[in-house]
Amino acid sequence: MSLFHFKQFVIDQENCPMKINTDGVLLGASANLENVKSVLDIGTGTGVIALMLAQRSHDILIDAIDIDHLAFEKANQNFENSLFHQQLKAHHHSFLEYFDLNPSKKYDLIVSNPPYFLNALKSPKANNNISKHTNEQFFIDLISKAKNHLNPSGNLTLIVPIDISLMLQNLAPSYHLFPINCIKIKSYPDKAHIRHIISFSDEKPLELIFEDFCIYSSQSVYSLQYQALLKNFFTIF
């Protein structure tokens, strides 16, 4: 089925190159919205992260951008069909184009579930390459441009594999962004971590704060952590 029903909105993901996935919903449910009034969602795909953020806070306004035209159209459709349509605006741009077109625009929070297959074998489907593959320059551009479009004390929050998280933690301080919080995600209690939700700010912390998060408690059984995080969104909880 192309329709994915959440408790307060529905996502149509037909023909969208990046479908709803665990990474996206974890970011949408966990990104820190304290003192946040403006958000930019880079690579919005179906728009699920933006919609989750809009559901969590009715006071925020969200710009959601995607370089893929099919994704932009689908996100725009999902926004218009939601209860939160007045909070959401879709744009068909890469983040570099968007920032060039809006040089003075600043946000309290920039989020992204970015492409993460660095220098990997490419898919024969062009739109899958756009949504899933990238290179190191992408992240250098993302960090450097995001810094210029964050309000003071604003956050850049990404969900990425561990190796990319470590690369970003080393890279970001060169652009005056500092890692402040890292949620370390694993699938099962006895498995290695597979993702980081890593947040950066222009305010250097005394130390990087780590949190642990486990998706499953046992085979096909969601952990209490996961259920608590997604209970306001998923109809199964």
Side-chain angles (χ1 to χ4, degrees):
M1 291 290 291
S2 63
L3 297 182
F4 194 107
H5 290 262
F6 289 79
K7 286 185 175 178
Q8 295 191 36
F9 57 88
V10 177
I11 294 286
D12 182 351
Q13 52 186 351
E14 185 177 5
N15 297 324
C16 191
M18 180 60 78
K19 308 295 185 187
I20 293 171
N21 56 59
T22 301
D23 288 5
V25 297
L26 288 176
L27 178 58
S30 65
N32 185 0
L33 296 183
E34 185 178 358
N35 299 320
V36 169
K37 299 297 183 184
S38 57
V39 178
L40 176 65
D41 176 17
I42 295 176
T44 193
T46 62
V48 64
I49 295 171
L51 279 160
M52 293 176 75
L53 296 177
Q55 178 184 318
R56 288 175 56 198
S57 175
H58 298 171
D59 296 328
I60 61 175
L61 297 176
I62 304 169
D63 288 312
I65 63 176
D66 206 292
I67 193 173
D68 184 88
H69 191 263
L70 289 175
F72 155 72
E73 288 187 331
K74 193 60 63 174
N76 190 57
Q77 174 189 328
N78 289 329
F79 294 165
E80 289 299 316
N81 291 336
S82 77
L83 298 172
F84 315 109
H85 59 91
Q86 292 184 331
Q87 297 175 247
L88 300 153
K89 185 173 179 59
H91 307 266
H92 179 214
H93 296 295
S94 71
F95 71 88
L96 292 175
E97 292 170 341
Y98 182 79
F99 287 147
D100 283 344
L101 290 168
N102 299 276
S104 61
K105 188 86 171 182
K106 292 184 182 291
Y107 296 91
D108 300 319
L109 174 66
I110 298 176
V111 295
S112 185
N113 175 17
Y116 55 78
F117 293 136
L118 285 177
N119 305 317
L121 183 66
K122 299 293 196 298
S123 163
K125 295 182 178 180
N127 57 358
N128 282 347
N129 284 339
I130 291 173
S131 62
K132 295 181 180 179
H133 293 268
T134 191
N135 54 45
E136 290 184 13
Q137 188 61 47
F138 172 92
F139 288 102
I140 293 172
D141 291 340
L142 180 60
I143 289 287
S144 61
K145 296 295 185 180
K147 170 63 174 70
N148 295 329
H149 292 271
L150 283 172
N151 285 322
S153 303
N155 286 356
L156 169 67
T157 301
L158 311 171
I159 183 163
V160 290
I162 310 302
D163 58 339
I164 293 179
S165 173
L166 296 176
M167 178 186 77
L168 292 172
Q169 290 176 50
N170 289 324
L171 173 69
S174 299
Y175 299 93
H176 305 287
L177 282 178
F178 305 95
I180 58 172
N181 184 268
C182 181
I183 303 174
K184 303 188 296 181
I185 300 166
K186 60 175 65 175
S187 295
Y188 293 95
D190 59 345
K191 299 297 183 182
H193 295 101
I194 55 173
R195 296 284 187 274
H196 282 174
I197 297 178
I198 182 80
S199 294
F200 300 87
S201 172
D202 62 355
E203 296 183 348
K204 188 174 183 179
L206 294 176
E207 61 179 352
L208 174 58
I209 297 173
F210 290 96
E211 303 173 49
D212 270 302
F213 187 91
C214 191
I215 298 172
Y216 296 99
S217 57
S218 59
Q219 188 68 39
S220 301
V221 178
Y222 286 115
S223 70
L224 294 180
Q225 265 187 314
Y226 188 85
Q227 293 181 52
L229 185 65
L230 276 304
K231 66 180 181 180
N232 291 331
F233 301 99
F234 284 176
T235 59
I236 60 172
F237 300 141

